[in-house]
Amino acid sequence: LKAAADLFGKEGFEKTTTHKMVKAAGVSVGTFYAYFKDKESILLELFDKHAGELFEVLDRPFEEVDWDNLTVRSLIRSAIEASVECNALNPKLHRLFCERSRHSLLTTKREEWEKKALDRMTELIRFGAEHVRISDPETAAFLIYNAVNAACMQAIVFEEGPSMTKLVDGLTDLVSRFVLLDSEKSESPRTA
């Protein structure tokens, strides 16, 4: 799996062959086929593994909340930091999944991932209901998820854009201005 991930990241899906994977992994062709049907099955396995790692990161804002000093803005920042970290886990592999996200093999898995991520975002919005101006949490979650994901992809995966600190600061400000009531925005100074 590691050899396949490295090759997919360096050469892309189309140029990576099972022969190259076997050689890079230092295993026989028979061993490869004992575990995997083809390179598509490895791609699916890698996606599952990557999604598991992403959810470990996404769960952290819920587990590591400092309940005594909680502000909605700090919770927004924690969620954005988690999103940035998700995109930075393995940028080359993440890019491959994004490029192939509409591929029939990954469509269902991508949809499952996005549903879980949107559900978590909706849960965060509902959690801070008394501090937000949002009347439709599902639509707001969709907009936030896609805006944050697009900015992270551009800055981290495609390596174009601001530093990670500026990315987190700017996204925190953007999302805070979108969701928070005016009185809640003054909890902390503007960062972008």
Side-chain angles (χ1 to χ4, degrees), residues 130-160:
E130 67 188 59
H131 304 284
V132 301
R133 67 169 90 227
I134 302 301
S135 60
D136 182 352
E138 288 81 9
T139 299
F142 174 84
L143 295 170
I144 294 166
Y145 171 81
N146 283 289
V148 170
N149 191 49
C152 288
M153 286 292 296
Q154 199 67 29
I156 299 166
V157 176
F158 294 100
E159 300 176 347
E160 299 171 354

Side-chain angles (χ1 to χ4, degrees), residues 2 21 45-47 50 52-53 60 78 83-84 91 96 106 109 112-113 136 138 144 146 157 167 178 180 189 192:
K2 183 178 179 341
M21 285 187 264
E45 182 80 21
L46 287 170
F47 186 88
H50 190 63
E53 293 169 349
R60 243 183 272 139
S78 292
S83 295
V84 168
L96 172 71
L106 291 179
K109 293 186 176 289
E112 289 171 6
W113 157 256
D136 182 352
E138 288 81 9
I144 294 166
N146 283 289
V157 176
L167 180 67
F178 174 59
L180 295 179

